[in-house]
Amino acid sequence: MIYKLILFFNLISFALSDYGGGYAGSGFRFGNNAREISLGGSLASEYNSGFNAFSNPAFLYKVNEVEFGSSMFVMSLDRSIQVISVSRALSRRAGTSLSFFKSGTKRISEISYNKDLLNSDLSFSDSYFMLSFGAGKKNFSIGFNLKAYLQSASLGTVGNYDANGIGFDIGLYYKINRRLSLGAKFENIIGSINHKSGVSIPYEEVIPSRYIISVRGVLSRKFTMFLSEEVMEINNDYYFRTNLSGEYALNNFNIPIMIRLGLRQAQWTYIEEYEFKFNPCFGLGLNTTIFSDKVLHIDYAFDYGLEKQGISNLFSLTLEL
């Protein structure tokens, strides 16, 4: 029974993430909004309307009124990600956000040890509620996320399974000048999931910490570039990944269109390794006005399936009130 449970979680983790799939929290590392995914995850140094709490909570101090962000990723292999976030200004120098994230898969046929198909399906989901806060001045700000993790699985003939935990992030932002800025997000400085279900022996999983350092450079009024370095700590070892991307504003139409291209390092690299292989990222964005003065952002990212799991089209919406 325990063997089936561990095997199932590992398979699901690898399906939802690239590296560190066998470790806790892997379902959270795919991405949560189309703009950030199409830019290779490099938005820790850029205002990301509707999703600042996820990219870098230090930007919440810039929220003007109220922002609603939502993602619904219906992906290949019956995978899905749902995200909703509500942000609002608390004052001229502070903002807050309440968010929900869920990733998972379903309709996995259960097979016995004898390879017989059983009359039950397996499903799994990772989710969390997140409370965020950010405050700062013109050139510097700081923010944090407090997360409550929930994990659930339907294991067919084995039974149902639930776990919970907590997580804590810190974000920093510094504007050097009008063309150059720095951002950093220290994810899961504190993070763990406690397993106390009756189908397994109680134990605690520590979620690996991930640190993101990002640089934003405004090359012109239409073109912005991003460079970021991710560091993940697993079992006291450090793994690195480099991302490079750019966003170009095409203003030749009545509605501005954003073209996004990026290169994301294919695999995390151990500190003693020097292999650099990159995968392309692509996406589009459209900004328009509805109800006379409300701004609507429609973002799209193309996921071609790095591990041959099939093509997925990812969409996010943000409404600024």
Side-chain angles (χ1 to χ4, degrees):
M1 181 182 298
I2 301 302
Y3 170 79
K4 290 174 67 177
L5 181 64
I6 295 174
L7 178 61
F8 176 70
F9 284 163
N10 282 337
L11 288 173
I12 296 305
S13 297
F14 281 116
L16 290 171
S17 182
D18 52 351
Y19 183 81
Y23 295 90
S26 59
F28 307 132
R29 293 189 281 270
F30 177 87
N32 49 69
N33 65 94
R35 184 186 180 212
E36 188 166 39
I37 291 173
S38 64
L39 290 171
S42 300
L43 290 183
S45 56
E46 164 79 346
Y47 189 89
N48 190 16
S49 182
F51 298 95
N52 285 304
F54 295 97
S55 301
N56 187 345
F59 280 100
L60 287 171
Y61 86 104
K62 284 191 171 186
V63 175
N64 288 325
E65 294 293 339
V66 179
E67 296 177 356
F68 293 91
S70 177
S71 296
M72 179 63 186
F73 300 164
V74 180
M75 306 159 69
S76 58
L77 301 181
D78 292 317
R79 298 169 300 151
S80 65
I81 292 178
Q82 300 94 40
V83 180
I84 186 167
S85 182
V86 181
S87 307
R88 64 163 298 162
L90 296 177
S91 68
R92 295 180 59 186
R93 296 182 177 178
T96 188
S97 176
L98 182 63
S99 310
F100 175 73
F101 175 99
K102 181 180 181 181
S103 69
T105 187
K106 58 183 179 180
R107 292 197 293 268
I108 300 176
S109 298
E110 185 178 12
I111 300 176
S112 69
Y113 288 110
N114 298 322
K115 298 183 179 181
D116 296 324
L117 187 64
L118 303 177
N119 278 330
S120 59
D121 290 335
L122 308 179
S123 63
F124 175 82
S125 69
D126 263 327
S127 59
Y128 61 83
F129 291 92
M130 181 168 69
L131 177 64
S132 309
F133 176 80
K137 297 183 178 181
K138 183 177 181 180
N139 294 328
F140 176 78
S141 63
I142 186 171
F144 70 84
N145 296 325
L146 181 61
K147 296 176 285 190
Y149 291 116
L150 303 171
Q151 190 178 85
S152 64
S154 176
L155 303 177
T157 56
V158 175
N160 296 326
Y161 174 89
D162 296 291
N164 56 67
I166 59 171
F168 182 75
D169 310 332
I170 291 179
L172 300 171
Y173 167 69
Y174 178 65
K175 182 179 180 181
I176 299 174
N177 54 48
R178 65 185 183 90
R179 292 187 176 272
L180 189 64
S181 58
L182 302 174
K185 183 184 178 186
F186 305 99
E187 192 173 284
N188 289 312
I189 297 175
I190 300 173
S192 63
I193 295 179
N194 298 301
H195 302 266
K196 298 180 180 179
S197 175
V199 299
S200 69
I201 300 173
Y203 67 100
E204 180 184 72
E205 275 189 298
V206 176
I207 301 176
S209 300
R210 184 171 64 154
Y211 315 117
I212 304 172
I213 309 295
S214 176
V215 180
R216 170 182 176 264
V218 180
L219 303 185
S220 70
R221 294 181 62 184
K222 294 184 177 181
F223 186 56
T224 304
M225 288 199 69
F226 306 94
L227 175 65
S228 69
E229 186 73 19
E230 299 179 50
V231 183
M232 184 177 289
E233 181 183 357
I234 299 177
N235 296 332
N236 296 322
D237 288 326
Y238 292 90
Y239 297 81
F240 298 79
R241 179 158 65 181
T242 303
N243 308 305
L244 177 66
S245 58
E247 184 175 60
Y248 182 80
L250 193 62
N251 296 322
N252 299 339
F253 306 96
N254 293 332
I255 299 177
I257 298 176
M258 314 300 292
I259 301 175
R260 298 162 183 148
L261 294 172
L263 292 173
R264 186 175 180 86
Q265 193 168 335
Q267 296 291 335
W268 293 80
T269 304
Y270 183 55
I271 192 170
E272 296 178 355
E273 299 175 353
Y274 299 96
E275 183 180 17
F276 291 93
K277 295 181 180 179
F278 290 87
N279 290 319
C281 305
F282 170 74
L284 298 170
L286 184 149
N287 304 329
T288 186
T289 302
I290 61 174
F291 307 125
S292 300
D293 59 348
K294 312 304 180 186
V295 180
L296 176 67
H297 303 268
I298 304 174
D299 296 308
Y300 165 79
F302 178 74
D303 174 25
Y304 59 89
L306 301 180
E307 304 299 330
K308 299 181 181 180
Q309 68 268 37
I311 292 174
S312 300
N313 296 292
L314 314 177
F315 291 91
S316 297
L317 298 175
T318 298
L319 180 62
E320 298 180 9
L321 301 180

